[in-house]
Amino acid sequence: MSRIGRKPIEIPKGVEVKVDGNTVTVKGPKGELSQEVSPDIEVKVEDGKVVLTRKKETRQARAMHGLYRSLIANMITGVTQGFEKKLEVIGVGYKAEQRGRGVLFDLGYSHKIFFIPPEGIEVVAEPITKKVFAEGTPNQYLTAVVTVKGIDKQLVGQVAAKIRELRPPDVYKSKGVRYADERVHLKAGKSGA
């Protein structure tokens, strides 16, 4: 049996889990999420816990067992605590400023980029006013911190990846947008003779 899949998921107070056929719906203080489950996996709510079992012993059913257990556990965490990812904007002249729901990025291109997050996701840009050197970078300043928040873990990660994609970190100067915990390995560059 899957080691992850067989662990029951505790349902905290204030969270309601409903199973309707192959759809699992989780409702909590921060919102509501639903997930389609494979027909090979059976989901039951018993004694304040969510228990997943396999109907078949195929290779795919074994793989899906742990996956759906993790997805449902993330849904429960999302509706109670939520998820967030932090990104850093690094480079002289690079900016990120809040404009309503969206964020206006100035990342060294000939134009500015206005990013509007999808429904259910909140993006907060905090400009850094004092000069702070970015960690692990030679002579590059941290200019803004962008926080992506939401209840859907997959959507939070996807939006954070889209923001990072606007200007990935440069491997020579380390300028660009990167995750707060990301370490960029710098290349030496050309040595002039």
Side-chain angles (χ1 to χ4, degrees), residues 74-146:
N74 286 339
M75 288 164 56
I76 290 172
T77 305
V79 297
T80 53
Q81 301 163 15
F83 294 100
E84 76 171 34
K85 275 198 175 281
K86 287 190 179 290
L87 296 120
E88 297 174 340
V89 180
I90 297 168
V92 176
Y94 288 13
K95 295 177 195 150
E97 56 184 84
Q98 195 77 40
R99 293 278 173 96
R101 257 190 92 236
V103 177
L104 186 68
F105 288 97
D106 189 354
L107 299 171
Y109 295 118
S110 61
H111 58 283
K112 295 184 179 189
I113 301 165
F114 187 60
F115 184 85
I116 301 173
E119 285 297 319
I121 297 292
E122 181 188 358
V123 178
V124 179
E126 303 161 30
I128 307 288
T129 52
K130 59 183 181 180
K131 289 190 173 188
V132 178
F133 280 110
E135 193 176 319
T137 60
N139 310 333
Q140 291 299 332
Y141 292 108
L142 178 65
T143 57
V145 175
V146 178

Side-chain angles (χ1 to χ4, degrees), residues 27-73:
K27 197 184 277 186
K30 288 194 177 249
E32 182 177 336
L33 292 169
S34 63
Q35 173 71 45
E36 286 285 324
V37 179
S38 169
D40 296 342
I41 305 296
E42 186 179 359
V43 182
K44 289 187 231 161
V45 178
E46 45 191 45
D47 301 328
K49 294 178 183 175
V50 179
V51 181
L52 284 84
T53 53
R54 292 193 295 263
K55 293 178 183 173
K56 300 177 184 174
E57 284 299 320
T58 62
R59 185 176 184 162
Q60 176 144 9
R62 288 196 306 269
M64 294 293 139
H65 193 192
L67 169 74
Y68 285 117
R69 191 262 180 212
S70 295
L71 289 175
I72 293 169

Side-chain angles (χ1 to χ4, degrees), residues 83-89 103 105 107 115-118 120-124 145-150 152-169 176-182:
F83 294 100
E84 76 171 34
K85 275 198 175 281
K86 287 190 179 290
L87 296 120
E88 297 174 340
V89 180
V103 177
F105 288 97
L107 299 171
F115 184 85
I116 301 173
I121 297 292
E122 181 188 358
V123 178
V124 179
V145 175
V146 178
T147 309
V148 181
K149 300 176 188 174
D152 187 347
K153 187 175 186 179
Q154 184 268 331
L155 195 56
V156 167
Q158 185 178 354
V159 170
K162 280 185 180 178
I163 292 173
R164 183 186 180 274
E165 206 175 84
L166 297 175
R167 177 67 97 173
V177 180
R178 65 179 177 190
Y179 298 115
D181 56 353
E182 183 179 359

